[in-house]
Amino acid sequence: MATSSVSKGCFVFKPTSKKRKTLSTEDYFTDGSENPENSRLRFQLFQSQWQDMKEEVQMVHDDLNKKILDSLLEFIGKSVASFQSRAVGWESRMRASEIPTAALVLGVNVPDHDVTFQSLSDLLRESVSPFVASVQAKECGALQHLMKKVMQQLMGGGVALDEDDAEEQSGYQISDLPRKGFNCSLGILCDWYQNLNKKSCIKSPGKKRSSSGSDFPKKPPLVVIFKDLEAFCPQVLQDFIVICSQYIQQLPLVFVFGIATSPSTIQRMLPHSVSSLLCIELFQSLSCTQHLATVIDKLVLTSKFPFKISGKVLKVLVGIFLYHDFSVCNFIRGLQLALFEHFFGQPLSVLCCEEEEALAQVRQFSHEDVEKILQLPSIMRYVEKQEPQEQVKLLTSDDHVKVVTQNLLKDLCSYHRNFYPILRCLHLLTSSLPKFPLGKQIRELHVLCLENNVWESEEYESAMQLLRMLAKDELVAALQKCVEVLQPGMTKKLKEVVHQLKDIIAKLKMLDQLSDETISCEGEQESSSGKSLQKTDLFHLQKTLMEMRETRRNKAKTPYEVLRNHTVDYLDSLVKMHLLPPESQPLYEVFYYSSSATVRRHLNATPRTSIQTALSHPHYYLQSEALKSEGGTISKAAPDICIIYKLHLECGRLINLYDWLQAYFTVTAADGQDPDSAEGHVDEMKHARFIRAVSELEFLGFIKSTKQKTDHVARLTWGGCQT
């Protein structure tokens, strides 16, 4: 479209109707794949397993939050009942205009708070009141904003009226929401609430057409949830509480404070004159570390899900949790990322499914799939250990490879079914030992078992020595717990283990009585030994002590000591039999994801590396092949800051600004044809662009001004981004 004939004007260029095609997740799996059918199947398996994991996680969240949410509901329900009854107790409580307030201490794992507050809001809307408002500090910088946000959510929040009265509303309706420029006040909210209660009974929005749906209380409370109390402006919060306290006789208001640090935050933010207007009750949620332990127990330490993660990946995920955010939700997202990367990058992950489905999939393998199996490092080690005749069959017969693969899959599934119960038993036996040689948490022991032969470590030897010193009552109690752990879902091997442990427990209980004669004889021997130590010189004393030491060493062990040593030896044999590291199992690559570097790069990215990559390779981020350069050359079309960055890499500790500027001019005029080079304004424009790029580079922390030379800058970083 030509616009040169008009000196001034406003031109509208309509965009083309062609929309940029966006790839779905399934298209991302199959795009550019040599075997689209295989990629599509892997994507379906990924979706299926992630859906199962999500359901398990939701059950974990519901179970862990059930106690505290039930307590909150009970507290709010009591407040509502007191307000409706208007008993003497309520009036005496309300004469100071106290607002029922629940102080919910959730901990510093702020990313997980949204899940808890969402569950609380849903439960309140289902069973207590449809009027629930959730506000955040970033949306309520001023009192007017806070008031408007609260009124919008309360007056427009899921209210269902009887059908007979739906068309006869008058006065303040549900649709009368505060708009821009609307004067929000609690007086309007009070009139709206009283008018609404006069007209009809309020029902749950999800049950308004169900005749069996239970009604809300006659005057349901107005619940206001402050998700992040610490982030609110104290003055805004104080003014809001004071205003609300003046309407507590007309409005059944209930506050919920979400606290991340400690309850003392309330005293720090609210003076006594304001906090005295609140009737505060404290609620403490489960610690995030206990929450993580439960999630790991349900998602990682189980044979229910075929997908597994290696010890290095688990350490990365737990490290990010412990040293960065304490967020269980982020840990689960990391697990989802590992699951996605495994099914996307491993063609043989089509076998990462239920045992019967995997066996059926092997029977349909093509020659190319068989070749991929033989190229797995674990299978190559397996082939090397076989007899020459077997090696020939494995390398020449696809059918034989399929049969062997099916047997190996069965063995691997059996390995997983036995691995986790024995792991839990070992943790039960060692978690109460002094100094926790194998770790206090089961995830620490799990990492040890995944990475190496755990029985070869010094920590394991120390744990076995401490087990050989346990008292009978402690050993019996530990073995009984092991039997309880092994009971559900027992395999044939685990049934034998349970039978052996029960026999050992029965034998230990039979050793309750020791003969009094043996005890008295031991006492006489000790007394005689003590007498022999009297009235002697140092040499004879030392000789006597050495003889006593040898006598005790050669002394016959008691029946309990013999049985205890036998028990520890049996447990040691179980560990060596069932807790082999996964790398020792053929086909482990099908189920285990081990790229910890990828997980760390995505979840715990270093900003400096990302910035250096963007400055060195702008075509990668801007998705423009015109910016791509070869052999370390600098593209003229690159952004100014990218050119300046690459030029500064060629300099030493101090950079001469004039030389830097001349190099920039040389790069931007690389073609030797600058039609406006004769005009001064072009050089001034380039000079201004250079100054801006240098300022941006200084802002990013690559250079700084120096007092050594006025026309120089100092370089702060060394080395470019390695690709």
Side-chain angles (χ1 to χ4, degrees):
M1 181 182 296
T3 59
S4 59
S5 61
V6 182
S7 59
K8 294 182 180 180
C10 180
F11 303 95
V12 178
F13 297 92
K14 294 183 179 180
T16 58
S17 59
K18 295 182 180 179
K19 294 183 179 180
R20 185 177 178 181
K21 183 179 179 181
T22 57
L23 293 177
S24 63
T25 309
E26 183 175 359
D27 296 333
Y28 182 76
F29 257 78
T30 58
D31 187 38
S33 175
E34 298 178 357
N35 190 348
E37 187 63 30
N38 179 279
S39 301
R40 192 172 294 107
L41 179 58
R42 284 186 280 137
F43 176 72
Q44 294 173 358
L45 289 174
F46 160 73
Q47 283 188 317
S48 175
Q49 292 199 33
W50 174 239
Q51 185 62 34
D52 294 341
M53 287 185 174
K54 280 179 61 179
E55 294 176 358
E56 191 72 27
V57 167
Q58 187 60 43
M59 292 175 60
V60 170
H61 287 326
D62 293 342
D63 292 341
L64 294 179
N65 293 329
K66 186 177 187 303
K67 184 176 181 180
I68 186 171
L69 293 181
D70 290 347
S71 301
L72 280 170
L73 292 178
E74 182 181 359
F75 168 76
I76 296 174
K78 288 181 179 179
S79 302
V80 175
S82 300
F83 182 83
Q84 291 177 350
S85 63
R86 288 290 180 179
V88 177
W90 171 260
E91 293 176 353
S92 62
R93 180 180 173 186
M94 284 297 105
R95 64 183 173 212
S97 300
E98 292 182 347
I99 303 174
T101 304
L104 180 58
V105 182
L106 295 175
V108 295
N109 52 330
V110 178
D112 298 343
H113 293 183
D114 288 339
V115 178
T116 304
F117 284 123
Q118 185 62 42
S119 301
L120 175 61
S121 300
D122 294 341
L123 286 175
L124 289 173
R125 290 190 177 97
E126 288 176 2
S127 57
V128 177
S129 170
F131 309 118
V132 180
S134 299
V135 292
Q136 291 179 299
K138 63 181 181 181
E139 302 170 345
C140 309
L143 178 61
Q144 182 181 3
H145 298 158
L146 175 58
M147 199 76 74
K148 181 177 180 180
K149 197 72 178 177
V150 170
M151 291 184 64
Q152 281 180 337
Q153 295 190 36
L154 292 179
M155 296 174 67
V159 181
L161 299 176
D162 289 342
E163 295 182 359
D164 297 336
D165 298 333
E167 299 178 356
E168 300 177 3
Q169 295 183 10
S170 60
Y172 293 102
Q173 299 182 3
I174 302 172
S175 58
D176 293 337
L177 302 180
R179 300 177 178 84
K180 186 175 181 180
F182 189 84
N183 186 18
C184 299
S185 66
L186 285 187
I188 296 176
L189 180 64
C190 184
D191 295 341
W192 171 84
Y193 182 77
Q194 293 177 355
N195 181 61
L196 190 65
N197 285 321
K198 290 178 182 178
K199 284 200 155 300
S200 63
C201 104
I202 306 170
K203 296 184 178 180
S204 173
K207 302 176 181 178
K208 66 178 182 178
R209 295 189 180 276
S210 175
S211 58
S212 60
S214 59
D215 294 346
F216 284 122
K218 184 178 180 181
K219 292 185 178 181
L222 305 178
V223 184
V224 182
I225 302 175
F226 299 85
K227 291 185 176 181
D228 46 354
L229 184 69
E230 291 90 345
F232 275 88
C233 175
Q235 189 60 46
V236 172
L237 195 62
Q238 294 170 23
D239 294 342
F240 182 76
I241 293 174
V242 171
I243 294 173
C244 290
S245 65
Q246 299 174 3
Y247 290 88
I248 192 61
Q249 298 293 340
Q250 294 81 27
L251 293 175
L253 291 167
V254 178
F255 291 164
V256 178
F257 289 164
I259 302 174
T261 52
S262 66
S264 61
T265 303
I266 299 177
Q267 283 76 20
R268 179 176 55 84
M269 297 184 65
L270 304 177
H272 181 266
S273 59
V274 178
S275 61
S276 60
L277 302 176
L278 305 176
C279 179
I280 302 175
E281 186 168 336
L282 184 64
F283 298 88
Q284 182 74 46
S285 68
L286 190 69
S287 68
C288 54
T289 52
Q290 293 175 319
H291 196 170
L292 176 68
T294 306
V295 170
I296 291 178
D297 183 76
K298 296 296 184 181
L299 299 184
V300 179
L301 304 178
T302 177
S303 59
K304 178 180 179 180
F305 303 109
F307 172 74
K308 306 288 186 294
I309 56 177
S310 67
K312 292 182 179 179
V313 175
L314 182 57
K315 284 199 294 187
V316 169
L317 295 177
V318 174
I320 293 174
F321 172 86
L322 293 176
Y323 298 108
H324 288 82
D325 52 15
F326 289 102
S327 173
V328 178
C329 292
N330 288 346
F331 177 88
I332 296 171
R333 292 190 187 100
L335 201 61
Q336 181 186 11
L337 172 65
L339 179 69
F340 182 88
E341 289 288 341
H342 178 67
F343 280 98
F344 178 73
Q346 175 57 265
L348 292 176
S349 58
V350 291
L351 301 179
C352 185
C353 53
E354 298 297 332
E355 183 177 353
E356 295 299 328
E357 187 178 352
L359 296 177
Q361 190 67 32
V362 171
R363 290 191 287 268
Q364 301 176 2
F365 268 9
S366 62
H367 176 72
E368 290 76 12
D369 297 328
V370 172
E371 289 295 327
K372 291 177 182 177
I373 291 178
L374 294 175
Q375 292 173 4
L376 293 175
S378 61
I379 295 297
M380 294 174 66
R381 293 193 297 267
Y382 173 80
V383 173
E384 291 175 357
K385 295 178 182 179
Q386 303 304 310
E387 297 295 332
Q389 297 83 358
E390 182 67 15
Q391 291 181 2
V392 172
K393 289 183 180 179
L394 289 171
L395 298 175
T396 56
S397 175
D398 290 353
D399 294 336
H400 186 67
V401 172
K402 293 179 182 179
V403 174
V404 172
T405 302
Q406 289 177 331
N407 294 331
L408 293 177
L409 283 174
K410 294 178 182 178
D411 295 340
L412 192 56
C413 293
S414 177
Y415 162 80
H416 287 146
R417 286 191 290 267
N418 296 326
F419 180 90
Y420 295 105
I422 299 298
L423 176 70
R424 296 180 190 277
C425 289
L426 181 60
H427 174 68
L428 284 173
L429 292 167
T430 60
S431 60
S432 59
L433 296 178
K435 297 184 179 180
F436 310 105
L438 293 179
K440 189 175 182 179
Q441 301 289 339
I442 191 173
R443 63 171 182 266
E444 303 172 41
L445 177 59
H446 185 221
V447 170
L448 290 176
C449 295
L450 290 178
E451 293 184 338
N452 300 297
N453 294 329
V454 65
W455 58 87
E456 296 178 355
S457 62
E458 296 180 359
E459 296 83 0
Y460 180 82
E461 292 295 334
S462 175
M464 291 298 105
Q465 291 178 4
L466 292 173
L467 285 178
R468 297 179 191 276
M469 301 170 61
L470 283 180
K472 183 170 63 64
D473 296 339
E474 296 176 344
L475 183 59
V476 170
L479 293 178
Q480 288 177 341
K481 290 181 180 178
C482 291
V483 171
E484 294 175 0
V485 168
L486 298 175
Q487 286 288 354
M490 288 193 301
T491 61
K492 292 183 179 180
K493 293 182 179 180
L494 294 182
K495 287 181 180 179
E496 297 177 0
V497 173
V498 171
H499 181 70
Q500 290 289 341
L501 292 180
K502 287 183 177 180
D503 288 345
I504 292 174
I505 293 173
K507 292 179 181 179
L508 288 171
K509 290 182 178 179
M510 292 174 61
L511 298 176
D512 285 339
Q513 301 92 8
L514 290 174
S515 61
D516 296 336
E517 297 178 359
T518 305
I519 296 176
S520 61
C521 291
E522 290 179 357
E524 292 176 0
Q525 291 178 0
E526 291 178 0
S527 61
S528 62
S529 300
K531 291 179 181 180
S532 63
L533 295 178
Q534 299 175 359
K535 297 181 181 181
T536 182
D537 55 12
L538 181 61
F539 175 76
H540 288 90
L541 177 61
Q542 186 177 9
K543 183 178 179 181
T544 304
L545 289 173
M546 293 182 66
E547 290 177 355
M548 291 175 59
R549 180 180 177 185
E550 291 295 329
T551 303
R552 290 179 180 178
R553 182 177 298 176
N554 299 329
K555 180 183 176 182
K557 296 181 179 180
T558 63
Y560 168 67
E561 292 175 342
V562 174
L563 185 56
R564 180 178 59 190
N565 291 340
H566 169 71
T567 303
V568 175
D569 292 338
Y570 176 69
L571 295 173
D572 181 52
S573 65
L574 290 178
V575 171
K576 295 179 179 179
M577 182 186 303
H578 298 291
L579 295 187
L580 295 166
E583 285 80 358
S584 64
Q585 305 297 315
L587 287 178
Y588 84 94
E589 297 94 341
V590 172
F591 297 92
Y592 285 83
Y593 179 74
S594 57
S595 181
S596 59
T598 302
V599 175
R600 183 183 289 108
R601 183 173 69 251
H602 284 289
L603 299 181
N604 194 22
T606 54
R608 176 65 62 189
T609 304
S610 302
I611 293 173
Q612 289 179 336
T613 303
L615 295 177
S616 301
H617 308 284
H619 68 277
Y620 181 78
Y621 286 92
L622 299 178
Q623 298 181 357
S624 175
E625 293 296 329
L627 303 179
K628 195 171 184 179
S629 58
E630 298 179 358
T633 59
I634 303 176
S635 173
K636 175 183 177 181
D640 292 336
I641 189 173
C642 298
I643 299 174
I644 294 298
Y645 172 77
K646 289 189 176 182
L647 290 174
H648 112 285
L649 294 177
E650 302 174 0
C651 302
R653 187 175 62 88
L654 295 177
I655 306 175
N656 189 309
L657 287 173
Y658 180 78
D659 295 340
W660 203 3
L661 176 62
Q662 294 302 318
Y664 171 73
F665 284 166
T666 303
V667 171
T668 53
D671 297 338
Q673 297 178 353
D674 193 347
D676 297 327
S677 59
E679 301 180 11
H681 72 278
V682 176
D683 290 337
E684 293 177 1
M685 184 186 302
K686 288 187 177 181
H687 192 197
R689 288 166 52 189
F690 171 78
I691 294 175
R692 184 181 64 180
V694 171
S695 301
E696 292 173 349
L697 206 63
E698 182 178 5
F699 176 76
L700 293 175
F702 289 96
I703 59 175
K704 72 172 184 177
S705 59
T706 176
K707 295 181 180 179
Q708 296 181 9
K709 294 183 179 181
T710 56
D711 58 345
H712 285 63
V713 292
R715 182 177 174 184
L716 298 178
T717 61
W718 301 94
C721 181
Q722 301 295 329
T723 57

